Amino acid sequence: MIRFLICDDEPLAVERLRDLVGRVEGAEVAGSATDGRTAIAEVERLTPDALLLDIEMPALDGFDVVEALAKAGGPTPLIVFVTAYPNFAAHAFDTGAIDFLTKPVRLARLDTAVDRVRRAIEDREAATRLADLARQIEALRAEQGGGGGSSSHLWVQRRGENLRLDLAHVDRVQSEGEYVRIFQGDASYLHREPISSLIERFDPTRFVRIHRSHIVNRDRVASIRRRPAGGYTIVTDRGEDLPVGRNYRTVVRDLVQD
């Protein structure tokens, strides 16, 4: 049974969604909230499988809720946005949402969304099993003297699918709490792993940690600027300014000598 948490600042909309979910086989309502802060608290308390999340809400909107959940760590529910404004669709999918429903929500469309959530849960479980197996294989190789070393790829999730990223082609990585955001070209991917362990996956001859929150591909460094107040800033070939942490200033000398 897939457990949904409904979040909408309109009580009538909450009741309508509750009624519709009750008509979908294999789905149930675990709880509801009428504002973003309550939704965040209820996610921690109820650990639902997915959120039916309104976007336009006072104080914290739907996008704010997703960002807060990502930074909080812990199990993150799948997101199905529900809104009266179709123009939010592109941004919604960029956050990794499974689906996007427009009001008034129709039963057939909700049924499709539930099916997508179901498949995403199955994919997530399969990815977890695959990651566990990969760690076991790496440990076995290390025990046998085959060397663990860094992996050449990483599996990440986006829009309900698992994607294999070639780590050699990553531009940079930025820490977001217990998560990291991995930048590759025009795309970015949210991945649950501390930056301190992720750095071990990268080839140290090609990637360097410049800050407790930043890893950068050496080939993406366009310039190094000295700040008037002291310290340095690295500018990427895409024009992004990345701070160099106080404990990583020797990195600047290494980069210049490359």
Side-chain angles (χ1 to χ4, degrees):
M1 186 71 73
I2 300 173
R3 301 170 62 250
F4 284 90
L5 176 71
I6 300 171
C7 181
D8 196 305
D9 63 329
E10 299 176 3
L12 289 178
V14 171
E15 289 307 310
R16 174 173 171 75
L17 282 173
R18 185 185 295 274
D19 177 65
L20 290 175
V21 171
R23 302 185 199 180
V24 177
E25 183 177 357
E28 66 178 6
V29 176
S32 62
T34 55
D35 63 82
R37 297 189 188 281
T38 302
I40 294 168
E42 289 295 85
V43 167
E44 182 178 357
R45 186 177 73 88
L46 299 172
T47 61
D49 299 305
L51 263 64
L52 289 169
L53 181 61
D54 188 19
I55 294 179
E56 283 284 278
M57 295 184 294
L60 291 181
D61 64 21
F63 297 130
D64 293 330
V65 171
V66 172
E67 183 177 355
L69 291 175
K71 291 181 178 180
T76 304
L78 299 169
I79 304 296
V80 176
F81 281 115
V82 184
T83 181
Y85 303 95
N87 55 300
F88 283 126
H91 188 188
F93 282 118
D94 282 342
T95 67
I98 294 298
D99 208 343
F100 181 94
L101 303 179
T102 55
K103 298 179 180 179
V105 178
R106 300 185 182 278
L107 180 59
R109 187 64 184 84
L110 177 63
D111 189 61
T112 299
V114 171
D115 187 58
R116 289 179 178 175
V117 170
R118 182 180 297 109
R119 285 187 277 113
I121 291 173
E122 293 171 354
D123 290 343
R124 176 184 284 180
E125 292 172 350
T128 300
R129 291 193 297 270
L130 182 62
D132 289 341
L133 179 60
R135 283 192 289 268
Q136 292 172 22
I137 292 173
E138 289 178 5
L140 181 60
R141 285 176 176 171
E143 290 176 3
Q144 294 176 345
S150 58
S151 174
S152 63
H153 67 272
L154 178 71
W155 286 96
V156 298
Q157 288 191 349
R158 189 182 187 191
R159 299 180 184 176
E161 64 177 341
N162 294 293
L163 301 176
R164 174 173 165 156
L165 292 186
D166 185 343
L167 293 182
H169 295 156
V170 168
D171 296 330
R172 66 183 183 91
V173 178
Q174 181 173 322
S175 176
E176 295 187 7
E178 290 298 312
Y179 289 74
V180 291
R181 185 165 296 280
I182 302 171
F183 295 84
Q184 188 179 76
D186 293 328
S188 69
Y189 309 90
L190 195 63
H191 174 66
R192 189 178 181 188
E193 181 174 353
I195 197 170
S196 57
S197 65
L198 184 65
I199 184 64
E200 298 177 3
R201 297 174 178 258
F202 288 99
D203 180 352
T205 66
R206 301 189 63 180
F207 292 84
V208 61
R209 190 172 182 180
I210 61 171
H211 187 277
R212 60 189 178 91
S213 299
H214 296 280
I215 298 169
V216 65
N217 187 328
R218 292 172 183 263
D219 293 337
R220 302 278 76 81
V221 176
S223 65
I224 301 172
R225 296 175 181 169
R226 188 173 185 86
R227 295 182 295 191
Y232 297 90
T233 296
I234 283 177
V235 182
T236 71
D237 55 3
R238 300 176 70 89
E240 301 157 317
D241 289 331
L242 306 179
V244 176
R246 179 174 300 178
N247 296 330
Y248 299 89
R249 290 181 182 176
T250 57
V251 170
V252 173
R253 182 176 63 250
D254 294 339
L255 286 171
V256 173
Q257 292 175 350
D258 277 356

